[in-house]
Amino acid sequence: MMKLKGVIIQGSSRSDGNTAKIVSFVQEKTGFESIDLKSKNIGAFDYNFENEGDDFLPLMKEIVFNYDTLIFATPVYWYSMSGIMKNFFDRISDCLKTEKELGRMLRGKNMGMVSCGSDSELKKGFEMPFVESANYLGMNYLGNMHTWIENESIPESLEKDLSNFIENQLMISK
Ligand SMILES: Cc1cc2nc3c(=O)[nH]c(=O)nc-3n(C[C@H](O)[C@H](O)[C@H](O)COP(=O)(O)O)c2cc1C
């Protein structure tokens, strides 16, 4: 079987925080590479494409040309995905307008999501933008696992659930 090539896209406002701990774990289990959006300069969506020259387009090219599976790893900030991650999603609109070919290349790829909050409960509705964006872009949605950090590390029982999720949902090519 062909080896799945995947990438974990980290959207935290700190590169070495809680979401990064989850990303390291997922990376270890999957062998996927990771991209830290915090280290990139990605501006907000602009109707006049004023941010066209920033890091978004080269990054998007790198992603669509190299990977079949995209795992979004976002902290929970105010019941939603982080602003950094939302900017990334908003900018996909550039691909649907000025870079249509690039946008089309997302079709048939897999999308998964891992959220990281302070609470073990993820509020209803958090996952919807990911599910609907995958639908809109013609991507296969693999599912979400909510995570949190206790005493600087991943709780033991969560580690087990996360391993199962990775094995049974993220490592499957649909
Ligand atoms: C701006 C901000 C908003 C937050 N909002 C929530 C929230 O709505 N629900 C929640 O469970 N945790 C919330 N938290 C806590 C973070 O989700 C939690 O600490 C997370 O593990 C942080 O990951 P990070 O270290 O990658 O930023 C918030 C934290 C910040 C900084």
Side-chain angles (χ1 to χ4, degrees):
M1 207 174 101
M2 207 179 75
K3 194 171 180 294
L4 262 185
K5 274 204 84 182
V7 65
I8 307 155
I9 302 167
Q10 179 178 316
S12 172
S13 283
R14 51 180 180 175
S15 295
D16 58 354
N18 294 345
T19 307
K21 289 194 171 80
I22 301 296
V23 168
S24 297
F25 185 86
V26 177
Q27 207 171 0
E28 208 177 286
K29 297 276 172 189
T30 55
F32 289 175
E33 281 157 46
S34 70
I35 290 169
D36 178 12
L37 292 180
K38 173 73 177 166
S39 73
K40 309 279 179 189
N41 171 33
I42 298 177
F45 175 77
D46 186 281
Y47 278 96
N48 298 316
F49 305 103
E50 297 283 352
N51 292 319
E52 217 168 17
D54 69 11
D55 291 340
F56 177 75
L57 211 52
L59 177 63
M60 199 59 192
K61 284 184 179 157
E62 182 190 330
I63 292 171
V64 298
F65 289 128
N66 291 301
Y67 304 105
D68 317 303
T69 299
L70 282 52
I71 311 295
F72 291 99
T74 178
V76 179
Y77 291 163
W78 287 97
Y79 316 103
S80 312
M81 73 176 83
S82 67
I84 287 178
M85 185 139 284
K86 184 59 164 53
N87 269 355
F88 180 87
F89 271 92
D90 286 0
R91 290 294 296 282
I92 295 177
S93 293
D94 287 18
C95 298
L96 309 177
K97 299 210 165 75
T98 62
E99 295 282 339
K100 286 193 180 160
E101 271 314 304
L102 210 54
R104 282 193 200 112
M105 285 179 72
L106 287 168
R107 276 186 208 158
K109 292 189 189 287
N110 305 305
M111 182 197 294
M113 190 266 283
V114 183
S115 47
C116 179
S118 54
D119 205 331
S120 60
E121 184 204 352
L122 186 66
K123 296 281 185 190
K124 194 171 149 268
F126 185 94
E127 202 183 3
M128 181 274 285
F130 296 90
V131 174
E132 296 304 337
S133 299
N135 273 344
Y136 188 84
L137 295 166
M139 299 176 73
N140 310 307
Y141 189 68
L142 303 175
N144 157 252
M145 174 97 210
H146 179 61
T147 67
W148 62 98
I149 297 292
E150 278 170 17
N151 307 318
E152 305 286 307
S153 58
I154 307 173
E156 216 170 285
S157 68
L158 174 62
E159 248 189 32
K160 252 185 226 140
D161 292 344
L162 189 53
S163 297
N164 286 337
F165 169 71
I166 292 165
E167 202 175 309
N168 300 326
Q169 279 176 264
L170 296 190
M171 299 304 282
I172 305 271
S173 180
K174 284 194 183 168

Short mmCIF file of all heavy atoms in Angstrom, two decimals, residues 115-149:
data_model
loop_
_atom_site.label_atom_id
_atom_site.label_comp_id
_atom_site.label_asym_id
_atom_site.label_seq_id
_atom_site.Cartn_x
_atom_site.Cartn_y
_atom_site.Cartn_z
N SER A 115 -8.29 19.49 18.30
CA SER A 115 -8.44 20.73 19.06
C SER A 115 -7.77 20.54 20.42
O SER A 115 -7.72 19.43 20.94
CB SER A 115 -9.93 21.06 19.23
OG SER A 115 -10.66 19.91 19.63
N CYS A 116 -7.28 21.64 20.98
CA CYS A 116 -6.63 21.58 22.30
C CYS A 116 -7.14 22.73 23.16
O CYS A 116 -6.90 23.89 22.85
CB CYS A 116 -5.11 21.65 22.13
SG CYS A 116 -4.23 21.60 23.70
N GLY A 117 -7.87 22.37 24.21
CA GLY A 117 -8.44 23.40 25.08
C GLY A 117 -7.90 23.27 26.49
O GLY A 117 -7.01 22.46 26.75
N SER A 118 -8.46 24.07 27.41
CA SER A 118 -8.09 23.87 28.80
C SER A 118 -9.12 22.97 29.45
O SER A 118 -8.88 22.35 30.48
CB SER A 118 -8.00 25.21 29.53
OG SER A 118 -9.20 25.92 29.36
N ASP A 119 -10.26 22.89 28.82
CA ASP A 119 -11.37 22.10 29.31
C ASP A 119 -11.43 20.78 28.55
O ASP A 119 -11.11 20.73 27.36
CB ASP A 119 -12.65 22.92 29.01
CG ASP A 119 -13.78 22.56 29.96
OD1 ASP A 119 -13.81 21.41 30.44
OD2 ASP A 119 -14.63 23.43 30.21
N SER A 120 -11.84 19.72 29.22
CA SER A 120 -11.96 18.42 28.53
C SER A 120 -13.20 18.38 27.63
O SER A 120 -13.34 17.50 26.81
CB SER A 120 -12.02 17.28 29.55
OG SER A 120 -13.14 17.46 30.39
N GLU A 121 -14.08 19.36 27.84
CA GLU A 121 -15.29 19.41 27.00
C GLU A 121 -15.10 20.40 25.85
O GLU A 121 -14.60 21.50 26.05
CB GLU A 121 -16.48 19.86 27.85
CG GLU A 121 -17.79 19.85 27.08
CD GLU A 121 -18.84 20.79 27.65
OE1 GLU A 121 -18.65 21.37 28.74
OE2 GLU A 121 -19.88 20.97 26.95
N LEU A 122 -15.48 19.95 24.67
CA LEU A 122 -15.46 20.85 23.51
C LEU A 122 -16.91 21.25 23.23
O LEU A 122 -17.78 20.39 23.07
CB LEU A 122 -14.86 20.13 22.29
CG LEU A 122 -14.64 20.99 21.04
CD1 LEU A 122 -13.57 22.06 21.29
CD2 LEU A 122 -14.24 20.12 19.86
N LYS A 123 -17.14 22.55 23.18
CA LYS A 123 -18.53 23.00 22.99
C LYS A 123 -19.05 22.65 21.60
O LYS A 123 -18.31 22.61 20.63
CB LYS A 123 -18.63 24.52 23.18
CG LYS A 123 -18.28 24.98 24.58
CD LYS A 123 -19.43 24.77 25.55
CE LYS A 123 -19.09 25.36 26.91
NZ LYS A 123 -20.07 24.99 27.93
N LYS A 124 -20.34 22.43 21.57
CA LYS A 124 -21.04 22.09 20.33
C LYS A 124 -20.79 23.18 19.28
O LYS A 124 -20.81 24.35 19.59
CB LYS A 124 -22.55 22.03 20.66
CG LYS A 124 -23.41 21.39 19.63
CD LYS A 124 -24.82 21.21 20.19
CE LYS A 124 -25.84 21.30 19.08
NZ LYS A 124 -26.36 22.64 18.85
N GLY A 125 -20.54 22.77 18.07
CA GLY A 125 -20.39 23.73 16.98
C GLY A 125 -18.94 24.00 16.60
O GLY A 125 -18.67 24.52 15.52
N PHE A 126 -18.00 23.63 17.48
CA PHE A 126 -16.58 23.93 17.21
C PHE A 126 -16.11 23.29 15.90
O PHE A 126 -15.35 23.88 15.13
CB PHE A 126 -15.71 23.43 18.37
CG PHE A 126 -14.26 23.80 18.22
CD1 PHE A 126 -13.75 24.95 18.82
CD2 PHE A 126 -13.39 23.02 17.48
CE1 PHE A 126 -12.42 25.31 18.67
CE2 PHE A 126 -12.05 23.37 17.32
CZ PHE A 126 -11.56 24.52 17.92
N GLU A 127 -16.59 22.08 15.68
CA GLU A 127 -16.09 21.29 14.55
C GLU A 127 -16.70 21.72 13.21
O GLU A 127 -16.14 21.45 12.15
CB GLU A 127 -16.44 19.82 14.82
CG GLU A 127 -15.60 18.83 14.09
CD GLU A 127 -16.04 17.38 14.35
OE1 GLU A 127 -17.06 17.17 15.06
OE2 GLU A 127 -15.38 16.49 13.83
N MET A 128 -17.86 22.37 13.28
CA MET A 128 -18.63 22.67 12.06
C MET A 128 -17.84 23.35 10.94
O MET A 128 -17.93 22.93 9.78
CB MET A 128 -19.90 23.45 12.43
CG MET A 128 -20.79 23.80 11.27
SD MET A 128 -20.30 25.33 10.47
CE MET A 128 -20.89 26.52 11.68
N PRO A 129 -17.05 24.41 11.24
CA PRO A 129 -16.32 25.07 10.14
C PRO A 129 -15.37 24.12 9.40
O PRO A 129 -15.14 24.29 8.20
CB PRO A 129 -15.54 26.18 10.85
CG PRO A 129 -16.27 26.42 12.12
CD PRO A 129 -16.84 25.09 12.53
N PHE A 130 -14.82 23.15 10.12
CA PHE A 130 -13.90 22.21 9.49
C PHE A 130 -14.69 21.24 8.59
O PHE A 130 -14.32 21.00 7.45
CB PHE A 130 -13.11 21.44 10.56
CG PHE A 130 -12.21 22.34 11.36
CD1 PHE A 130 -12.66 22.94 12.53
CD2 PHE A 130 -10.92 22.61 10.93
CE1 PHE A 130 -11.84 23.79 13.27
CE2 PHE A 130 -10.09 23.46 11.66
CZ PHE A 130 -10.55 24.05 12.83
N VAL A 131 -15.78 20.72 9.12
CA VAL A 131 -16.62 19.78 8.36
C VAL A 131 -17.13 20.46 7.09
O VAL A 131 -17.01 19.91 5.99
CB VAL A 131 -17.83 19.31 9.21
CG1 VAL A 131 -18.78 18.46 8.39
CG2 VAL A 131 -17.35 18.55 10.44
N GLU A 132 -17.66 21.67 7.25
CA GLU A 132 -18.27 22.35 6.10
C GLU A 132 -17.22 22.84 5.11
O GLU A 132 -17.45 22.83 3.90
CB GLU A 132 -19.15 23.52 6.56
CG GLU A 132 -20.37 23.09 7.39
CD GLU A 132 -21.28 22.09 6.69
OE1 GLU A 132 -21.27 22.01 5.44
OE2 GLU A 132 -22.01 21.37 7.39
N SER A 133 -16.05 23.25 5.61
CA SER A 133 -14.98 23.67 4.69
C SER A 133 -14.49 22.48 3.88
O SER A 133 -14.26 22.61 2.67
CB SER A 133 -13.81 24.30 5.46
OG SER A 133 -14.24 25.44 6.17
N ALA A 134 -14.36 21.34 4.54
CA ALA A 134 -13.95 20.13 3.82
C ALA A 134 -14.97 19.81 2.73
O ALA A 134 -14.61 19.55 1.57
CB ALA A 134 -13.79 18.96 4.79
N ASN A 135 -16.24 19.86 3.10
CA ASN A 135 -17.32 19.62 2.12
C ASN A 135 -17.21 20.56 0.94
O ASN A 135 -17.26 20.15 -0.22
CB ASN A 135 -18.70 19.89 2.77
CG ASN A 135 -19.23 18.68 3.47
OD1 ASN A 135 -18.74 17.57 3.24
ND2 ASN A 135 -20.20 18.89 4.34
N TYR A 136 -17.07 21.83 1.24
CA TYR A 136 -17.04 22.87 0.20
C TYR A 136 -15.85 22.68 -0.73
O TYR A 136 -15.95 22.88 -1.94
CB TYR A 136 -16.96 24.25 0.87
CG TYR A 136 -17.11 25.39 -0.09
CD1 TYR A 136 -18.37 25.85 -0.47
CD2 TYR A 136 -15.99 26.02 -0.64
CE1 TYR A 136 -18.51 26.88 -1.36
CE2 TYR A 136 -16.13 27.06 -1.54
CZ TYR A 136 -17.39 27.49 -1.90
OH TYR A 136 -17.53 28.52 -2.79
N LEU A 137 -14.73 22.28 -0.15
CA LEU A 137 -13.50 22.14 -0.94
C LEU A 137 -13.38 20.76 -1.59
O LEU A 137 -12.42 20.49 -2.31
CB LEU A 137 -12.28 22.39 -0.04
CG LEU A 137 -12.16 23.82 0.51
CD1 LEU A 137 -11.15 23.88 1.65
CD2 LEU A 137 -11.78 24.80 -0.60
N GLY A 138 -14.34 19.89 -1.32
CA GLY A 138 -14.30 18.54 -1.91
C GLY A 138 -13.28 17.64 -1.23
O GLY A 138 -12.75 16.71 -1.83
N MET A 139 -13.01 17.93 0.04
CA MET A 139 -12.06 17.11 0.79
C MET A 139 -12.81 16.08 1.64
O MET A 139 -13.97 16.28 1.99
CB MET A 139 -11.20 18.00 1.71
CG MET A 139 -10.38 19.03 0.96
SD MET A 139 -9.46 20.15 2.05
CE MET A 139 -8.15 19.08 2.66
N ASN A 140 -12.14 14.97 1.94
CA ASN A 140 -12.75 13.95 2.80
C ASN A 140 -12.46 14.30 4.25
O ASN A 140 -11.29 14.43 4.62
CB ASN A 140 -12.13 12.57 2.52
CG ASN A 140 -12.12 12.24 1.06
OD1 ASN A 140 -13.16 12.30 0.41
ND2 ASN A 140 -10.96 11.90 0.54
N TYR A 141 -13.49 14.43 5.04
CA TYR A 141 -13.29 14.78 6.45
C TYR A 141 -13.10 13.52 7.28
O TYR A 141 -13.94 12.62 7.28
CB TYR A 141 -14.48 15.59 6.96
CG TYR A 141 -14.22 16.16 8.33
CD1 TYR A 141 -13.28 17.17 8.51
CD2 TYR A 141 -14.89 15.68 9.45
CE1 TYR A 141 -13.00 17.68 9.76
CE2 TYR A 141 -14.62 16.19 10.72
CZ TYR A 141 -13.68 17.19 10.86
OH TYR A 141 -13.41 17.70 12.10
N LEU A 142 -11.97 13.45 7.97
CA LEU A 142 -11.62 12.23 8.72
C LEU A 142 -12.10 12.24 10.16
O LEU A 142 -12.15 11.21 10.81
CB LEU A 142 -10.10 12.05 8.72
CG LEU A 142 -9.39 11.99 7.36
CD1 LEU A 142 -7.88 11.94 7.56
CD2 LEU A 142 -9.86 10.78 6.56
N GLY A 143 -12.42 13.42 10.68
CA GLY A 143 -12.91 13.51 12.05
C GLY A 143 -12.06 14.39 12.94
O GLY A 143 -11.02 14.92 12.52
N ASN A 144 -12.53 14.55 14.17
CA ASN A 144 -11.87 15.41 15.15
C ASN A 144 -11.65 14.67 16.46
O ASN A 144 -12.44 13.82 16.84
CB ASN A 144 -12.73 16.65 15.42
CG ASN A 144 -12.42 17.28 16.78
OD1 ASN A 144 -13.21 17.18 17.72
ND2 ASN A 144 -11.27 17.87 16.92
N MET A 145 -10.57 15.02 17.12
CA MET A 145 -10.36 14.56 18.50
C MET A 145 -10.05 15.78 19.34
O MET A 145 -9.17 16.58 18.99
CB MET A 145 -9.20 13.58 18.52
CG MET A 145 -8.80 13.14 19.89
SD MET A 145 -9.53 11.56 20.31
CE MET A 145 -9.66 11.78 22.07
N HIS A 146 -10.80 15.94 20.43
CA HIS A 146 -10.52 17.06 21.32
C HIS A 146 -9.51 16.63 22.39
O HIS A 146 -9.60 15.53 22.93
CB HIS A 146 -11.80 17.56 21.98
CG HIS A 146 -11.53 18.69 22.92
ND1 HIS A 146 -10.99 19.87 22.49
CD2 HIS A 146 -11.67 18.80 24.27
CE1 HIS A 146 -10.82 20.68 23.53
NE2 HIS A 146 -11.22 20.04 24.62
N THR A 147 -8.56 17.50 22.67
CA THR A 147 -7.52 17.20 23.65
C THR A 147 -7.35 18.34 24.64
O THR A 147 -7.85 19.44 24.41
CB THR A 147 -6.14 16.97 22.95
OG1 THR A 147 -5.71 18.22 22.39
CG2 THR A 147 -6.23 15.93 21.85
N TRP A 148 -6.63 18.08 25.72
CA TRP A 148 -6.28 19.10 26.70
C TRP A 148 -5.04 18.62 27.43
O TRP A 148 -4.66 17.45 27.34
CB TRP A 148 -7.45 19.35 27.66
CG TRP A 148 -7.82 18.13 28.46
CD1 TRP A 148 -7.42 17.85 29.74
CD2 TRP A 148 -8.64 17.03 28.02
NE1 TRP A 148 -7.94 16.64 30.12
CE2 TRP A 148 -8.69 16.12 29.10
CE3 TRP A 148 -9.32 16.74 26.85
CZ2 TRP A 148 -9.40 14.91 29.01
CZ3 TRP A 148 -10.03 15.54 26.75
CH2 TRP A 148 -10.06 14.65 27.83
N ILE A 149 -4.39 19.56 28.10
CA ILE A 149 -3.13 19.26 28.79
C ILE A 149 -3.36 19.41 30.29
O ILE A 149 -3.99 20.37 30.74
CB ILE A 149 -2.03 20.23 28.31
CG1 ILE A 149 -1.74 20.03 26.81
CG2 ILE A 149 -0.75 20.11 29.13
CD1 ILE A 149 -1.09 18.72 26.43
#
